[in-house]
């Protein structure tokens, strides 16, 4: 493995500081510190320009399902690049890779989802989904159905519409969002229920209660005005919020009762992350429209897709007019070629059943054995290869630390220093490793995380 050494690193840091504005970062503060330059990856590991080896407990941004350095995916992209580096789908044309990817997805998607549109990111997919929802209701002669509901703590991306849909409030003030026509309902965050004033309520009861809040909101706005409810099967960037067992069935009954379209955002939960191909399958959800990205290509190429259930596709595809929507790069041949190969690898290597019955249960068991009795760990929860370790002030009372985010960031910094990428969301430590991770690599992650959490507890005087 090559390392570039300090001079090269300083050169890159200086250029980065001079010319590159970072996403979700205070660039000025970052420039003082200097960025870490990641130079290559292999399996579940990354290396920086100083030669430091890092274990990636987050699959990049929850996306590298098959791990880094997969030659087959690179070759598939290279073949497409040499053969047809670009063409579009606007002018009565298509290409073999896009056609085959659309057909492949139709075999994996929930029943009735036989049609997909392509885009380039999760945000674009969600933006497109909202446009398609609006169009559907216009075609149905119900143009007054325009309000989009979503949840507190939701993350659906950063375009004007996707950010409006998101329920992470710090995402809004800089841009005067949300746009009109967006409304929120509570998240089914059972661990936080006590602190949020719901009392000592059981998880099943809480699931019903929070679903009912959706119905109350629909009735308050008026079902005739509510177009859709958007939700991730498991809320990811909002803190890995797993729905209580009762939640999704009740939500679906409510959406059906009030004729509200169900938009499921599978950007994180798609392609094996939860132990099924889609989180919708894990939770028995039948979406009207579904969005996916990340794991579709394992992040090797930017690509996303929107799938339409029968109800929406029957109406939209029989409108007898042009669908006035699409991107220059929708269904890009290189991205589709890489995605196809990625899906082939996931299937061939049996990664989804592996997550469901082997490595997912192993991760949960080992996290529980390690952290259940820890003085500052309130809850360990996981589904497939999505895991959360909630750091708390008071375990018995399920009380969080004041100033949410401080302790989590403190612990995350210890992880980084030790060569582990974990993410802190508020004070919840989150893991979402590649689906290929081995038991011994999980042990390495757990050992590093334990050391970071132990040191955090010691700094708090709680060791
Ligand atoms: C559930 C969910 N939806 C949408 C997005 C946005 O995707 P992108 O960053 O590709 O625009 C993300 C990104 O993390 C996500 O987690």
């Amino acid at each position: 493995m090559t390392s570039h050494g300090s001079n090269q690193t300083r050169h890159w840091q200086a250029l980065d500081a001079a010319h590159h504005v970072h996403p979700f970062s205070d660039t000025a503060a970052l420039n003082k510190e200097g960025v870490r330059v990641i130079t290559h990856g292999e399996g579940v590991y990354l290396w920086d320009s100083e030669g430091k080896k890092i274990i990636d407990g987050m699959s990049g941004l929850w996306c590298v399902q098959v791990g880094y350095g997969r030659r087959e995916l690179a070759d598939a992209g290279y073949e497409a690049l040499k053969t047809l580096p670009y063409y579009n789908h606007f002018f009565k044309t298509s290409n073999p890779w896009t056609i085959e990817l659309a057909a492949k997805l139709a075999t994996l998607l929930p029943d009735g989802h036989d049609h997909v549109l392509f885009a380039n990111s999760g945000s674009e997919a969600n933006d497109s989904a909202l446009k398609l929802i609006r169009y559907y209701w216009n075609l149905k002669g119900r143009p007054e159905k325009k309000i989009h509901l979503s949840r507190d703590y939701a993350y659906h991306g950063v375009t004007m519409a996707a950010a409006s849909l998101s329920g992470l409030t710090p995402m809004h003030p800089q841009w005067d969002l949300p746009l009109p026509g967006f409304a929120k309902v509570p998240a089914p965050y059972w661990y936080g229920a006590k602190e949020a004033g719901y009392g000592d309520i059981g998880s099943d009861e809480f699931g019903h209660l929070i679903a009912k809040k959706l119905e109350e909101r629909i009735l308050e706005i008026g079902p005739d005005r509510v177009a859709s409810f958007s939700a991730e099967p498991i809320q990811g960037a909002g803190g890995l919020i797993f729905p209580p067992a009762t939640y999704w069935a009740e939500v679906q009954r409510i959406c059906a009762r009030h004729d509200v379209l169900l938009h499921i955002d599978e950007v994180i939960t798609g392609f094996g992350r939860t132990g099924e191909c889609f989180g919708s399958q894990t939770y028995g959800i039948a979406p009207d429209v579904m969005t996916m990205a990340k794991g579709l290509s394992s992040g090797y190429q930017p690509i996303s897709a929107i799938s339409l259930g029968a109800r929406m596709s029957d109406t939209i595809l029989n409108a007898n007019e042009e669908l006035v929507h699409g991107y220059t790069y929708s269904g890009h041949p290189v991205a589709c070629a890489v995605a196809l190969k990625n899906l082939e690898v996931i299937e061939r290597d049996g990664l989804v059943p592996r997550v469901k019955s082997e490595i997912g249960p192993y991760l949960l068991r080992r996290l529980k054995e390690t952290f259940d009795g820890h003085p500052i760990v309130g809850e360990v929860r996981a589904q497939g290869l999505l895991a959360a370790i909630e750091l708390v002030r008071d375990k018995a009372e399920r009380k969080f630390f004041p100033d949410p985010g401080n302790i989590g960031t403190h612990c995350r910094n210890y992880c980084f220093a030790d060569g582990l990428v974990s993410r802190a969301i508020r004070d919840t430590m989150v893991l979402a490793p590649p689906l290929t991770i081995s038991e011994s690599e999980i042990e390495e992650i757990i050992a590093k995380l334990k050391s970071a959490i132990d040191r955090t507890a010691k700094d708090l005087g709680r060791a």
Side-chain angles (χ1 to χ4, degrees), residues 366-429:
R366 290 293 298 121
L367 285 172
K368 282 189 156 297
E369 283 169 5
T370 311
F371 293 115
D372 264 352
H374 196 283
I376 63 165
V377 174
E379 186 184 54
V380 170
R381 53 182 185 265
Q383 171 67 50
L385 285 181
L386 285 172
I389 298 105
E390 190 105 41
L391 307 184
V392 294
R393 180 158 61 106
D394 183 335
K395 283 161 72 102
E397 288 302 310
R398 304 210 313 256
K399 272 200 186 316
F400 300 122
F401 291 105
D403 243 342
N406 262 356
I407 299 302
T409 306
H410 190 79
C411 181
R412 200 266 328 260
N413 291 344
Y414 278 132
C415 294
F416 273 18
D418 268 1
L420 165 66
V421 181
S422 168
R423 182 158 160 181
I425 301 175
R426 295 181 297 284
D427 297 321
T428 302
M429 304 310 295

Side-chain angles (χ1 to χ4, degrees), residues 62 121-124 126 155-158 232 237 265 267-268 293-294:
W62 331 72
S121 67
S123 303
E124 283 181 2
N126 287 331
Y155 183 73
H156 296 291
V158 295
E232 306 147 78
D265 180 342
V267 168
I268 284 180
K294 298 188 188 281

Side-chain angles (χ1 to χ4, degrees), residues 214 218 229 250-262:
L214 169 65
I218 292 171
F229 175 55
E250 190 61 31
V251 162
Q252 291 184 89
R253 275 193 287 275
I254 290 165
C255 288
R257 194 179 301 140
H258 300 293
D259 211 7
V260 168
L261 290 173
L262 182 56

Side-chain angles (χ1 to χ4, degrees), residues 137 142 145 149 211-212 214-220 222-228 250-261 311:
W137 288 121
R142 305 192 60 187
K145 259 174 126 38
L149 294 177
K212 284 285 171 210
L214 169 65
E215 183 155 46
E216 284 164 22
R217 196 82 174 98
I218 292 171
L219 292 171
E220 202 178 284
D224 287 349
R225 295 180 58 226
V226 179
S228 59
E250 190 61 31
V251 162
Q252 291 184 89
R253 275 193 287 275
I254 290 165
C255 288
R257 194 179 301 140
H258 300 293
D259 211 7
V260 168
L261 290 173
R311 176 180 180 182

